[in-house]
Every structure is written in structure tokens, then in C-alpha cells.
Amino acid sequence: QKEVEQNSGPLSVPEGAIASLNCTYSDRGSQSFFWYRQYSGKSPELIMFIYSNGDKEDGRFTAQLNKASQYVSLLIRDSQPSDSATYLCAVRGNNDMRFGAGTRLTVKP
Amino acid sequence: GAGVSQSPSNKVTEKGKDVELRCDPISGHTALYWYRQSLGQGLEFLIYFQGNSAPDKSGLPSDRFSAERTGGSVSTLTIQRTQQEDSAVYLCASSRDGLSTDTQYFGPGTRLTVL
């Protein structure tokens, strides 16, 4: 079992819709959780992080964390074509950061 | 500097040669990470430096890989006797103090191609 699992996609949504990205992790001792966006040929850039159960909102983005279910998600409201990218879920333990393989999102105009 | 920088941006080498990849973290950041990303894959953790502590080398795939960090700043990742499966983008990231909620900032990466 992979430590951090994501659906590889591609996930395709129409412009203006809500995109829902999901991630599960295996290490119950994980402390913090990050969502990164990576455009093709570019480096990952942080969207947001969350470390408490519940929801955390930042503009059009909402991260949701459920530690009991070992599940973290990212919702993108009012999706735009510029949101088309690969979204990486990352889980932080004591020293290292473990990344999922990413979900490729396409927002169609 | 304004961000994490890495050099070279691209490196093509022949199988069996050694390569050195360099990372300059953001000034003042004490934590530095190396990752590897193969085509279409997620990031694979390689090694983590925090201040003057012994590095966490748990992610290094073989003893051909080594890294050092001089003076708590610049880091060099060395791959000896390169193999074709070493071809990937090598990403460096730094963070302020390595705490669990600390944000990592990534450099542009070095694309390594082993022929």
C-alpha cells in the first residue's frame, strides 16, 4: 500500500464547477497535510496546508481533513481553465514529506 | 536570494559517469530537502537537512546517492556511476525551520538525462 494515495485522473470539470480532489494516507502519526499545484514542466507550488480536523478555506480553495478516516481533500470552487494542473497531496511526518502521485485536473472552458 | 535556485537546469550524462547537482536555498532557511520526480510520477523524498543535525538519508535509493550541505546553506546531491533509471527531475526545497507546519518552497529543478 502506498503511503499517500490519490486518484491519478485525469479529472475533467467544466468551467465554473466544483473540482473535488481526494487523498488518503497510511501513517496515523502524520501531523500536517499540504496541497501543491504543479503545472506541466514547472515546480510544485503550495496552495494550502491543514493540520486540524475540519475545513480550512482560502479563497476558492477549501481543504478538508479527517484524521480518523485518514483522508484529506481539496475543493476548488468556480473552477477556471487556469486551474488545470496536477495537484499533489503531501503528508508530513516527523522529518520527511511524502507525496502522492498527483491528480491531473482539466477545467474545460 | 528571492527563491530556491538549482543548477544546472539540465544535465545530460552518459551511463557510469558521476554527476553533481547544486541547490541554493532561500536565505535564512534552515531546512533543505531533495526530491526526485520521474516522468508522470509524484515526488520521491530523498534526503532532509535541518540545521547542523545529521541528515535524514532514509529516502536515498542506493549508496550511489549522497548529499552534503556546507555551512548550513548550499547543498550538493551527488550521483555516482549513473544509471538510466536515475533519469528524472531532481527538485530541491527549503523551509524556514523544518517544523511540521512549515511551508516548503521548491526550486526549478534539475532535469537529469542518463544516456
Side-chain angles (χ1 to χ4, degrees):
Chain A
Q1 181 188 6
K2 291 182 181 178
E3 295 183 48
V4 181
E5 294 213 43
Q6 297 180 252
N7 288 329
S8 61
L11 173 66
S12 182
V13 301
E15 184 175 356
I18 295 176
S20 178
L21 305 164
N22 304 314
C23 173
T24 58
Y25 59 95
S26 60
D27 183 2
R28 284 196 172 273
S30 300
Q31 300 173 14
S32 50
F33 308 86
F34 300 76
W35 283 100
Y36 283 83
R37 176 176 62 198
Q38 187 174 27
Y39 292 111
S40 180
K42 301 294 185 183
S43 297
E45 54 182 350
L46 181 72
I47 297 174
M48 61 193 306
F49 67 86
I50 185 169
Y51 49 87
S52 298
N53 276 326
D55 295 1
K56 179 180 179 182
E57 186 174 320
D58 184 0
R60 296 187 295 112
F61 299 94
T62 299
Q64 299 174 317
L65 175 62
N66 184 325
K67 289 185 179 181
S69 300
Q70 295 174 242
Y71 174 90
V72 59
S73 67
L74 180 69
L75 300 178
I76 307 174
R77 290 181 298 281
D78 188 23
S79 295
Q80 301 297 309
S82 58
D83 294 327
S84 297
T86 296
Y87 289 80
L88 300 170
C89 171
V91 176
R92 184 73 187 270
N94 287 327
N95 286 339
D96 60 9
M97 187 92 90
R98 302 290 174 172
F99 283 80
T103 298
R104 187 155 58 91
L105 172 67
T106 300
V107 180
K108 296 187 175 180
Chain B
V4 178
S5 61
Q6 292 185 245
S7 61
S9 56
N10 280 284
K11 177 71 177 179
V12 180
T13 190
E14 294 178 347
K15 178 181 173 181
K17 301 276 189 179
D18 298 351
V19 295
E20 282 190 354
L21 312 179
R22 176 188 168 105
C23 172
D24 270 285
I26 292 173
S27 178
H29 280 195
T30 63
L32 187 147
Y33 309 78
W34 281 100
Y35 297 89
R36 177 169 71 175
Q37 188 172 32
S38 301
L39 188 63
Q41 301 297 311
L43 275 69
E44 175 188 4
F45 167 77
L46 297 177
I47 189 168
Y48 161 65
F49 294 90
Q50 173 55 51
N52 295 320
S53 302
D56 176 356
K57 303 179 181 180
S58 59
L60 293 178
S62 78
D63 59 8
R64 295 186 296 106
F65 289 72
S66 63
E68 62 177 22
R69 189 178 184 191
T70 55
S73 181
V74 172
S75 177
T76 302
L77 177 69
T78 300
I79 309 173
Q80 296 178 309
R81 305 181 303 282
T82 53
Q83 303 295 311
Q84 288 183 333
E85 61 263 28
D86 298 334
S87 296
V89 175
Y90 288 80
L91 289 161
C92 174
S94 72
S95 67
R96 188 177 54 200
D97 47 24
L99 296 178
S100 63
T101 56
D102 214 14
T103 298
Q104 294 185 21
Y105 297 89
F106 284 84
T110 293
R111 181 175 298 277
L112 175 66
T113 303
V114 181
L115 301 176

